[in-house]
Amino acid sequence: MRLGITTNCFATAIASGEIDLAGILEFAGEEGFLAAEIRDAAGDIPLDELDAVVEDAASREMALSYAVNNDCLIPGDRDTLTGAVIRAAACGEGTVARILASQSVLAEKSRKGYTAAETDRIVMALRDYADIAAEKGIVLALEHAGEPLYGDGDSFFGLHDIIVALEATGGMPSSLALTFDPANAVFTALCKAPVGPEKVFEFLGKHSHYIAMVHYKTTSSGELSPVIADADIDNERLFEELSAVYDGVLCLEVPAAETLDECRSNVLTSLEYMRKNGLMGYLAQ
């Protein structure tokens, strides 16, 4: 596996103007990251700005991926997705673009996941989106966020159910994959039906062949940690099981702090934890 970092670790500092994407790439290169995810929530980063980022990353021999906060179940999402695909393709052939299913319908407090009808609509949209991605030579990687890994098969449905539905209706498109975020599945403030660590490892065992990106952060007692630390999901076991089935980018995604200095400090503290606990041994240097 190769260590990457998402620009979302610096989201607040970007918003305040304390740092830009070039500054993040410089920091990432100095700290030994081999890849970076460009988080473009609205899918509207100017293409000339993105081209400069791509050139900068190439000069550092740093691989790029892309991420957009789309929503398959809202009007106009196909246009958002199409714009995101164009931007991901600008990062190079085969670029992985993290996408979402639908977070808007999960906003209701009583929700645990998707309805059967929503699952069907998401599957239809994903097939369409996969065709768009294939035309541009990129791979879409669907991430679980508020939705659970597993539904109950009756009253609510999750990512596993979306995968099963895709497999049952023509198979998983070659241009559609997964972004696996273990912490999201146990993060009680985010996931509508959190599971325990064993279910996370079960999901990894079932669907590892679809994973094209991994996001890495940690939780403690279901709460998101500001830095990588001892976690609900055992870090060493996670790295060991991941490394046996996955050889792509493991993208650090600690939450953005209030200031640039705090953002940098949290990343550096996370790296130090990883070194002290032998996790870097699972990663290419």
Side-chain angles (χ1 to χ4, degrees):
M1 296 186 293
R2 291 166 292 146
L3 183 61
I5 186 170
T6 175
T7 59
N8 206 46
C9 293
F10 295 87
T12 49
I14 292 172
S16 68
E18 291 182 272
I19 197 168
D20 58 12
L21 296 180
I24 295 173
L25 290 189
E26 180 179 5
F27 170 79
E30 290 171 350
E31 298 306 325
F33 289 95
L34 301 180
E37 176 193 82
I38 306 302
R39 185 69 60 89
D40 182 24
D44 61 358
I45 183 173
L47 287 171
D48 57 348
E49 180 181 342
L50 183 58
D51 287 342
V53 171
V54 172
E55 184 176 347
D56 188 3
S59 72
R60 301 176 188 277
E61 298 184 340
M62 186 179 295
L64 291 180
S65 61
Y66 178 88
V68 64
N69 293 353
N70 69 299
D71 190 311
C72 294
L73 298 183
I74 64 172
D77 190 58
R78 192 177 193 273
D79 291 338
T80 299
L81 187 284
T82 299
V85 166
I86 291 170
R87 287 160 174 79
C91 295
E93 185 175 358
T95 293
V96 174
R98 180 281 243 158
I99 64 169
L100 300 171
S102 178
Q103 303 308 297
S104 61
V105 299
L106 301 175
E108 299 171 21
K109 190 174 181 180
S110 61
R111 280 293 192 115
K112 289 188 173 182
Y114 301 120
T115 66
E118 288 165 351
T119 301
D120 288 344
R121 289 174 59 200
I122 289 168
V123 167
M124 289 180 62
L126 291 174
R127 286 206 177 282
D128 178 35
Y129 294 176
D131 287 343
I132 296 170
E135 290 178 2
K136 291 293 186 179
I138 67 147
V139 175
L140 302 178
L142 178 66
E143 182 176 16
H144 53 106
E147 64 270 56
L149 289 182
Y150 294 96
D152 65 0
D154 180 27
S155 63
F156 71 96
F157 300 85
L159 180 59
H160 169 76
D161 306 293
I162 292 172
I163 296 168
V164 169
L166 285 162
E167 291 175 333
T169 55
M172 180 78 85
S174 60
S175 55
L176 182 63
L178 301 179
T179 295
F180 181 52
D181 189 324
N184 278 358
V186 300
F187 181 9
T188 55
L190 175 67
C191 186
K192 305 296 288 188
V195 296
E198 290 305 320
K199 295 296 286 185
V200 176
F201 287 114
E202 176 187 301
F203 182 91
L204 175 60
K206 286 179 182 290
H207 301 302
S208 61
H209 53 295
Y210 291 135
I211 296 173
M213 177 61 63
V214 174
H215 281 169
Y216 180 49
K217 53 185 176 279
T218 55
T219 62
S220 178
S221 299
E223 296 185 4
L224 186 60
S225 304
V227 297
I228 299 299
D230 292 349
D232 296 318
I233 300 172
D234 182 75
N235 287 300
E236 186 169 359
R237 180 182 174 189
L238 176 63
F239 274 59
E240 184 175 351
E241 295 202 15
L242 266 175
S243 65
V245 296
Y246 174 73
D247 193 33
V249 173
L250 182 132
C251 187
L252 185 69
E253 195 193 24
V254 294
E258 290 187 8
T259 69
L260 176 58
D261 285 345
E262 289 175 302
C263 291
R264 285 179 173 143
S265 177
N266 286 354
V267 170
L268 295 176
T269 298
S270 298
L271 294 176
E272 183 60 23
Y273 175 92
M274 293 170 69
R275 292 187 189 99
K276 285 185 176 180
N277 288 273
L279 301 179
M280 290 298 191
Y282 293 94
L283 301 169
Q285 301 300 312

